[in-house]
Amino acid sequence: METTSNPIGVLLLRPLSPYLQQELSKRYALFKFWESPPNLRREFLGEHSNSIKAVVCNGVQGADAEIIDALPLLEIVASHSSGLDKIDLDRCRERGIRVTYTPDALTDEVADMAILLILATSRRICAADQHVRSAEWKNADFKLTSKFSGKSVGIIGLGRIGSAIAKRAEAFGCRIGYHSRSLKPNSRYKYYPSLTDLASDSQIIVVSCALTRETHHIVNRGVMDTLGRDGIIINIARGSHIDQAELISALAEGRLGGAGLDVLEHEPEVPDLLAQLDNVVLSPHAGASTYETRKTLADLVVGHLEAHFSNKPLLNAVI
């Protein structure tokens, strides 16, 4: 553990919860990466490279090769997220750097967000809100929308979160199908080896799988066209699961009915055309952004760091 004369340095990449910052500051020398101007960050890392032994990141900004290489004493990367795609895992393995994540803590909130996005997209809640606020309601009723109850829902990835989404959708009387790398022997839902077949038999597609080389742009033009003009795509996983340019075209041309997106391919950048479409509901990667979950995530991250620097087993170790 750290000593008064030589405290362990922890680099926090993004301004995560005040509670996490407080708990880290109690135990370590906390370096706030976002407070350094972007053009001076390389110098910032060099200045503190002899102190920083841990990096705390999340699903938006992770420890890439440049950060890892700038920190010769780095021992552990602790992700405040269930995703690992923003971390250069190969470089961590080469360097013998431990990596932890928080896979179980955010399942319920992210599954809730998926259902929220389905309802908000199918019922056009954002457009309806604007209809009221702009006083258009005085002139005309809001246009008709589509119901969610009883629809066929196809889930890409039937892991923890995908299963939680399926359970919630069942409560709406929905028929559930799924596509994944392999059949889930204990699942009662119909398995589709082909994503195109799942799309052809679904009215709503929910992306809930890990981002890998194989799942990059897994939702492409073919999937969108198969889902069709009344179909809806929901993404609570990672932006790069969907070919975003093709998605925008499909939505703008009316080849796809709507989309609910908690993640974007190049977040936080939002294409102008996407932002202008009224058949899209956008959320700023906030699926797990609740007070309750953020405290749980923070406690897990701090626990991972404490375990590592005390030479104890790591609860959720990837490397």
Side-chain angles (χ1 to χ4, degrees):
M1 292 296 289
E2 73 268 30
T3 65
T4 302
S5 59
N6 187 28
I8 292 172
V10 174
L11 177 67
L12 183 60
L13 295 185
R14 291 180 64 82
L16 302 178
S17 69
Y19 173 74
L20 174 61
Q21 295 182 48
Q22 172 185 303
E23 293 302 302
L24 291 174
S25 296
K26 286 179 183 177
R27 298 164 173 81
Y28 310 107
L30 182 61
F31 298 98
K32 300 177 180 181
F33 194 51
W34 69 93
E35 291 186 349
S36 175
N39 62 319
L40 297 177
R41 286 180 179 171
R42 182 173 296 180
E43 289 79 0
F44 176 87
L45 292 175
E47 180 182 352
H48 301 293
S49 62
N50 289 328
S51 300
I52 296 172
K53 296 185 178 181
V55 169
V56 175
C57 57
N58 72 348
V60 176
Q61 184 175 9
D64 57 21
E66 183 177 358
I67 290 175
I68 293 169
D69 291 345
L71 301 173
L73 301 184
L74 183 61
E75 298 180 14
I76 182 171
V77 174
S79 177
H80 184 272
S81 167
S82 63
L84 296 165
D85 54 287
K86 301 295 184 180
I87 302 172
D88 192 324
L89 296 177
D90 290 336
R91 191 60 58 92
C92 288
R93 290 189 184 95
E94 291 171 6
R95 289 268 307 272
I97 296 167
R98 306 300 303 275
V99 177
T100 62
Y101 71 143
T102 55
D104 299 312
L106 41 68
T107 298
D108 284 337
E109 275 78 358
V110 176
D112 290 349
M113 176 63 84
I115 299 300
L116 185 158
L117 288 172
I118 292 172
L119 287 166
T121 304
S122 59
R123 299 302 299 271
R124 300 288 179 92
I125 290 299
C126 294
D129 177 89
Q130 186 58 33
H131 187 77
V132 175
R133 294 177 188 274
S134 65
E136 281 299 310
W137 193 15
K138 295 178 180 179
N139 303 318
D141 290 338
F142 188 64
K143 57 189 175 183
L144 298 179
T145 60
S146 297
K147 65 184 290 187
F148 171 39
S149 297
K151 292 293 176 66
S152 53
V153 177
I155 300 174
I156 304 175
L158 199 69
R160 296 179 184 89
I161 294 173
S163 297
I165 294 168
K167 180 179 179 181
R168 285 158 172 76
E170 277 191 301
F172 286 84
C174 295
R175 178 171 58 82
I176 310 297
Y178 73 98
H179 169 74
S180 63
R181 287 175 294 182
S182 59
L183 174 73
K184 306 293 183 183
N186 298 321
S187 174
R188 63 181 180 276
Y189 308 125
K190 184 176 180 179
Y191 172 62
Y192 292 79
S194 162
L195 179 52
T196 301
D197 289 343
L198 177 66
S200 68
D201 204 22
S202 301
Q203 295 163 292
I204 300 167
I205 288 289
V206 182
V207 184
S208 181
C209 57
L211 181 61
T212 64
R213 291 184 180 89
E214 291 74 26
T215 62
H216 180 268
H217 284 190
I218 189 171
V219 179
N220 54 29
R221 180 176 181 131
V223 172
M224 297 173 203
D225 286 346
T226 300
L227 191 57
R229 58 180 300 134
D230 295 321
I232 289 175
I233 292 175
I234 303 296
N235 193 0
I236 46 76
R238 290 292 183 265
S240 294
H241 283 118
I242 297 177
D243 186 328
Q244 188 166 279
E246 289 291 352
L247 177 67
I248 294 171
S249 295
L251 291 166
E253 295 167 10
R255 291 184 286 108
L256 184 68
L261 309 172
D262 186 46
V263 289
L264 297 175
E265 188 163 12
H266 305 293
E267 58 190 38
E269 300 300 323
V270 184
D272 290 340
L273 181 54
L274 184 66
Q276 293 166 12
L277 295 171
D278 68 356
N279 56 348
V280 179
V281 176
L282 300 173
S283 173
H285 203 148
S289 297
T290 65
Y291 292 112
E292 297 87 349
T293 292
R294 285 298 175 91
K295 183 179 185 302
T296 300
L297 292 173
D299 288 339
L300 283 169
V301 167
V302 171
H304 290 150
L305 295 180
E306 288 186 321
H308 173 75
F309 291 117
S310 299
N311 294 315
K312 295 179 180 178
L314 299 177
L315 179 61
N316 294 304
V318 181
I319 298 176

